[in-house]
Every structure is written in C-alpha cells, then in structure tokens.
C-alpha cells in the first residue's frame, strides 16, 4: 500500500509539474546580431532566466541571433518570434515595407558610437578629423551618417577618407598600425579592444543625443492579442537590468553560466569577469546616458524618433512615409517598471 501511495504521489507531482510548464507561454526573442556576447543579452535574457523573472510572468523564453535587425524582423513576421531587438530606424524601415513591428522599450538611450584615436594622434576634437583617414566597421550605413551629421552640427564639412576596417582585433590593428588615423566603432566593441591592451582616446558623436536608439520591439498583433505577455516580458527585462546595475559581476557570472562558450578559455575566472564587466560598463553607460527618471525607464521621446526619421530619410535609408506614432508606444512603460526595485537590488547585493 505504501508503495502504491508513493507511486500515486509521484504521478501527481509529475502532473502538476507538467501543468505548470504548460501554463508558461513559449516566447522567442531574436537579437539583431548573430552571436551571443556581453551586452543586452546579460539583462535581457541570462539574468531574468536564471533568477526566474520570466517564470514569475508565466513565460518560457528562448533566445536566438540573426544577421541584423531586418532578418530578426523577418523571423518575427513569420510568426516564429514574439520580440526582436533593432534600431529605431529599423522599426520604421520594416513598417514602410509592410511589416508591423512596434518598439515597446528603449534599450539604449544613446547608441554608443564614438570616434577613437591613439593618444599620440594629435586628434582631440571633431574639427581635427578634416582630411584624415577614418575607419568604419562597414561601408556606408548609419555609422557614417552619425559622423557626418555630427560634423555638420559643429559647422564642419564631412571631408575625410573612409575605409572599412571591420571590428574587434582587426579594427584595433588598423588603428595601431596607423592605416587609419581614427575609427568609428561602438561602446562594447571598444571594451573588447581595451581588454586586448589597447589604449584609445574617444570623441563623442553628439547627434546621438538627438535621435532614437536601440529598442526592444514586438508586433502590433502581439500588442493587441497578448498585452499581458508583452508587459510581463518587458517587466522581467527591467528587473534583469535593475539586478545587473546593482551587481555587474554577479550578472556576468549568470551570463557565462547561460553561454559558457563566450568565456575565454585561456584566462582565469577573475580576469574573464573583469573583462566582461568592462565591456558591460561601456554598454550600460551609453544605454542610460541622459536618463533622469528611473521610474519611467525605457520610455521613448517622440522628438528623437522624428529626428531619426528626418535624418535617415535624407540619407535615403527611409522613405519617411510612416508616422513615428505607429513605430513606438509608451503604453507598457508603467507596467514594465511596476516591481519591487529594492527587493531586486537586495537580491543582487546578496549574490556572491
């Protein structure tokens, strides 16, 4: 009889576990880059998954990469994902092409691009770039536009020679070997380069203060059909961000546990964490630049979307036919921020 009771108890426990799992809604998020690396992945996925923030919202979340925001949007449009990360101009571009992405959370208030130079280059300001050879990760695109518009805003003409240097060690070598006199890359990439031992000086591209940045987006259909999951996912992400800001080392450790192959095999755990935190700090410094109201974290500024639309339309990237009100919404911001911030911070501080 005792064995039968134990057996029935085990069956009941399995049934309850199965029911609980079935109640968690499957969610997929697709990133606008192919490989997992220290950046938004830390608080967007690794931390909330490890600490049960997704589960608390009734969500079972998986993550995958894509070769750009457009491809990520295509996966979502096919019905195989519910959320993507992409730049504001990417959301507007996809809507112009008939898709229905809508940004629900600002992941970066400032995209984090800057001009880098060697300390002995003699280049101290945007004005010093006239006539210089400048390296870019790819030919044309938004990076070139941001430099050109920053130069124009400073009353300067975009007169320089542009060459493609890629990213990471290759870009660092191009600068060190003086094949270029300056380079335009982004925060996390600079963190990786610094971890290789390179010393660089940086010049801001102030046009980024005027345009919309990197976003977490979903679809009009998802907003209409399942607003509860949209808000819940968004809230779990901001809990992950709150935890990360309170204890970056612990957050990075959770990231390495989720993505062990991203951890360098030839360095100590302490060195790997230190390097990762350096990259994360640069990413977060850009993401939170200018944020003054933490109770509205992730909210959008319509004027910045209008400026993005204007600049990218002038550059030919956008037609400028979609009203920006269709491309983003602040309707979930209050709900996304509705959690016990003190409790999450305490949880982070208590972590080893």
């Amino acid at each position: 009889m005792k064995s039968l009771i134990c057996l029935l108890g085990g069956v009941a426990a399995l049934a309850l576990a199965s029911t609980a799992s079935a109640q968690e809604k499957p969610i997929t998020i697709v990133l606008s880059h192919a490989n997992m690396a220290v950046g938004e992945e830390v608080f967007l996925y690794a931390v909330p998954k490890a600490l049960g923030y997704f589960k608390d919202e009734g969500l079972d979340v998986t993550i995958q990469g894509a070769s750009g925001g457009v491809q990520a949007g295509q996966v979502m449009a096919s019905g195989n994902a519910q959320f993507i990360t992409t730049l504001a101009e990417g959301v507007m571009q996809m809507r112009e092409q008939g898709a229905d992405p809508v940004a629900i959370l600002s992941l970066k208030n400032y995209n984090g691009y800057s001009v880098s130079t060697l300390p002995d280059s003699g280049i101290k300001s945007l004005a010093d770039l006239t006539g210089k050879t400048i390296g870019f990760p790819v030919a044309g695109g938004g990076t070139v536009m941001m430099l050109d518009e920053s130069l124009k805003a400073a009353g300067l003409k975009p007169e320089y020679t542009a060459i493609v240097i890629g990213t990471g060690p290759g870009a660092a070598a191009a600068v060190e070997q003086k094949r270029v006199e300056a380079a335009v890359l982004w925060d996390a990439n600079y963190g990786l380069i610094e971890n290789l031992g390179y010393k660089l000086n940086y010049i801001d591209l102030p046009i980024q203060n005027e345009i919309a940045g990197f976003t977490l987006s979903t679809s009009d259909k998802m907003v209409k059909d399942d607003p509860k999951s949209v808000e819940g996912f968004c809230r779990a992400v901001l809990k992950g961000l709150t935890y990360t800001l309170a204890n970056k080392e612990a957050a990075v450790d959770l990231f390495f546990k989720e993505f062990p192959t991203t951890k360098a095999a030839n360095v100590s755990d302490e060195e790997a964490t230190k390097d990762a935190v350096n990259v994360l700090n640069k990413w977060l410094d850009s993401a939170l630049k200018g944020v003054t109201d933490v109770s509205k974290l992730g909210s959008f500024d319509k004027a910045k979307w209008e400026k993005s639309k204007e600049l990218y339309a002038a550059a030919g990237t956008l037609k400028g036919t979609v009203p920006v009100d269709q491309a983003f919404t602040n309707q979930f911001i209050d709900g996304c921020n509705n959690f016990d911030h003190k409790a999450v911070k305490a949880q982070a501080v208590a972590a080893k």
Side-chain angles (χ1 to χ4, degrees):
M1 179 63 72
K2 183 176 180 180
S3 298
L4 179 59
I5 291 173
C6 290
L7 176 62
L8 291 174
V11 172
L14 287 172
L16 287 172
S18 177
T19 301
S21 177
Q23 289 174 346
E24 291 176 16
K25 182 180 179 67
I27 292 291
T28 298
I29 178 169
V30 183
L31 306 183
S32 58
H33 51 85
N35 299 316
M36 301 300 147
V38 173
E40 70 272 18
E41 294 94 314
V42 175
F43 66 87
L44 187 72
Y45 183 74
V47 171
K49 179 186 177 185
L51 300 180
Y53 298 158
F54 289 139
K55 187 175 182 180
D56 291 344
E57 301 292 346
L59 305 175
D60 179 15
V61 181
T62 57
I63 192 170
Q64 64 186 67
S67 60
V70 172
Q71 187 186 63
Q74 290 171 344
V75 176
M76 186 168 70
S78 71
N80 292 317
Q82 291 71 44
F83 297 94
I84 62 171
T85 62
T86 189
L87 292 165
E89 60 270 21
V91 175
M92 291 186 279
Q93 184 182 55
M94 285 183 270
R95 292 193 75 93
E96 287 182 349
Q97 296 170 352
D100 72 337
V102 57
I104 61 162
L105 189 72
S106 176
L107 294 177
K108 296 190 82 170
N109 201 45
Y110 184 91
N111 279 327
Y113 286 89
S114 61
V115 180
S116 61
T117 63
L118 293 175
D120 64 353
S121 69
I123 300 173
K124 305 297 182 184
S125 68
L126 291 175
D128 297 327
L129 294 174
T130 300
K132 299 296 192 292
T133 300
I134 302 176
F136 294 88
V138 296
T143 313
V144 172
M145 187 277 289
M146 281 187 278
L147 175 59
D148 289 354
E149 291 301 325
S150 292
L151 290 168
K152 292 175 186 176
L156 303 166
K157 292 183 179 180
E159 296 177 340
Y160 57 85
T161 300
I163 68 171
V164 176
I165 60 172
T167 62
V175 175
E176 184 184 48
Q177 296 165 9
K178 299 188 177 180
R179 288 189 281 119
V180 295
E181 294 161 283
V184 182
L185 300 169
W186 64 96
D187 43 34
N189 202 253
Y190 284 135
L192 292 171
I193 290 173
E194 288 179 359
N195 290 342
L196 295 173
Y198 293 93
K199 303 296 183 184
L200 298 170
N201 291 339
Y202 301 106
I203 302 169
D204 281 344
L205 296 177
I207 193 64
Q208 293 171 100
N209 292 314
E210 302 178 37
I211 62 176
F214 194 50
T215 76
L216 172 65
S217 297
T218 187
S219 64
D220 285 343
K221 185 178 187 303
M222 187 76 176
V223 168
K224 179 182 177 182
D225 294 348
D226 195 0
K228 181 176 181 292
S229 292
V230 174
E231 182 178 308
F233 183 84
C234 178
R235 182 164 44 246
V237 166
L238 287 188
K239 287 170 76 174
L241 177 58
T242 300
Y243 181 99
T244 299
L245 291 170
N247 191 338
K248 292 166 188 168
E249 288 78 10
V252 164
D253 287 343
L254 293 176
F255 171 79
F256 282 147
K257 287 178 181 177
E258 181 63 32
F259 303 108
T261 59
T262 64
K263 187 175 182 179
N266 58 341
V267 299
S268 66
D269 290 349
E270 292 78 11
E271 190 68 21
T273 298
K274 178 183 175 182
D275 287 348
V277 168
N278 181 48
V279 173
L280 185 60
N281 275 330
K282 287 187 171 295
W283 199 99
L284 291 170
D285 285 348
S286 296
L288 300 175
K289 184 178 180 181
V291 173
T292 56
D293 187 357
V294 294
S295 69
K296 300 288 185 182
L297 202 61
S299 61
F300 295 108
D301 181 343
K302 181 178 178 180
K304 289 187 174 184
W305 282 76
E306 293 284 10
K307 187 66 174 179
S308 291
K309 177 181 174 180
E310 173 193 332
L311 292 179
Y312 282 96
T317 305
L318 294 175
K319 298 176 184 177
T321 55
V322 172
V324 297
D325 298 282
Q326 296 179 12
F328 75 90
T329 179
N330 281 319
Q331 75 182 81
F332 296 102
I333 296 302
D334 287 341
C336 294
N337 284 279
N338 184 21
F339 60 91
D340 190 338
H341 291 73
K342 290 183 178 180
V344 173
K345 289 178 182 177
Q347 181 184 21
V349 171
K352 294 182 179 180

